[in-house]
Amino acid sequence: MGTRRDKDAAAFGFGIECPAIRSGSRPSFQTMMARPTHFLSIPLGQVHPTLCSRIADFRAALSLPPPNSTLLAGPQRVHLTLGVIALTPESLPTDIDLLYRLPTLLPLTTAPPTVTLDTLDVLRRESRRRAHVLWVGPSQPEPLFSQIYQIFRDEGFITDTRPLKLHMTLMNSTYRRPRTRRPRAFEYDSILRQARVLGCFGVQESKYAELPMSVSMGSYDAPRVHLCEMTSWDTDGAYVS
C-alpha cells in the first residue's frame, strides 16, 4: 500500500509500507506482554526474484516426508524479520505513525541499504542437532536496521532485549501441519547433510560441521520496511502489509 509519505521516504532510497492510519496511543503494559500480532519485515522476495529462485532451489533439493515438508517457508514470503510486535486496535495507529516518522529520525541516503546473506544458523536450539527455526541472514546487520530496531524498542513496541538478529526464516516448527499441541523441533543436521542442499547456499558439503556457518547467498538492496500482520497472506501466499 503506497502513500505520499511512502514516496517521500523512497526518494532517500528507503520506503515504508503499512496501513494508512494516523493517530493513537503508546502500547500498554498488557499489550507489550501479549502474544505478537505483527512484525517489521524487510521484504526481499518482491524486489529480488533471483533470491526467490535460490530459495525455491533449496526447497527442491530437500527430500522431506510429511509432515516435515510443511515446515518450509515459501519463496513468496522471502523477507528478513526485523522485530515482532504485539498491537491492539488502540496502539496500531501509533506504531504506524512511528513508521512514517522514520525518515525524519534516521540518517537516510539516496542509496538503499544492502543486506548480505552470509550466515546460516538456527534459533531455539533444543540440542546439538535439533532446533525450531532454520534461517539465513547477515552476520553484521546494516546499521540503519539496528537503529530502527532500537527506535521501536525505545518506544515500547519491540520488547525483546536481545541484540538485533536479522534473519530470513527457511524452516519453522510452527509451520507444521497438521498442528501439534506443542511445536516439535526438527533435526536440522540430517536436513543439511542431504545431497545438493548446501550447494544452494554456495558452500561445499565437506565444509559443513556445525551451525552457525558461513554461506554465500548474495547481497541485495533492501529499500523498504513493511509492517505485516501475523498469518495474513494475499492470494499468492505473500505476507500482507
Side-chain angles (χ1 to χ4, degrees), residues 35 58-59 62 64 67-74 77 79 81 84 121-124 131-135 167-180 182-188 191 230 239:
R35 186 182 185 88
F58 165 68
R59 290 170 59 94
L62 289 172
L64 295 176
N68 283 347
S69 57
T70 64
L71 302 177
L72 295 164
R77 297 179 191 169
H79 71 278
T81 300
V84 296
D121 202 357
V122 292
L123 293 172
R124 297 174 58 202
H132 286 270
V133 177
L134 177 70
W135 61 271
H167 63 280
M168 178 190 301
T169 298
L170 301 173
M171 300 180 67
N172 194 323
S173 63
T174 63
Y175 297 165
R176 190 187 304 273
R177 296 295 183 274
R179 291 182 181 273
T180 56
R182 289 186 177 181
R184 297 200 307 269
F186 53 85
E187 295 186 3
Y188 66 86
I191 290 171
M230 298 281 191
Y239 284 108

Side-chain angles (χ1 to χ4, degrees), residues 45-122:
Q46 297 178 14
V47 291
H48 297 294
T50 301
L51 178 58
C52 284
S53 296
R54 298 196 68 168
I55 300 302
D57 290 343
F58 165 68
R59 290 170 59 94
L62 289 172
S63 176
L64 295 176
N68 283 347
S69 57
T70 64
L71 302 177
L72 295 164
Q76 70 275 21
R77 297 179 191 169
V78 171
H79 71 278
L80 289 169
T81 300
L82 184 56
V84 296
I85 304 171
L87 296 176
T88 65
E90 293 75 26
S91 62
L92 175 61
T94 303
D95 181 82
I96 291 173
D97 189 67
L98 179 59
L99 266 176
Y100 280 130
R101 287 192 290 113
L102 285 180
T104 67
L105 303 174
L106 297 168
L108 299 179
T109 65
T110 55
T114 299
V115 172
T116 299
L117 304 179
D118 58 3
T119 300
L120 182 67
D121 202 357
V122 292

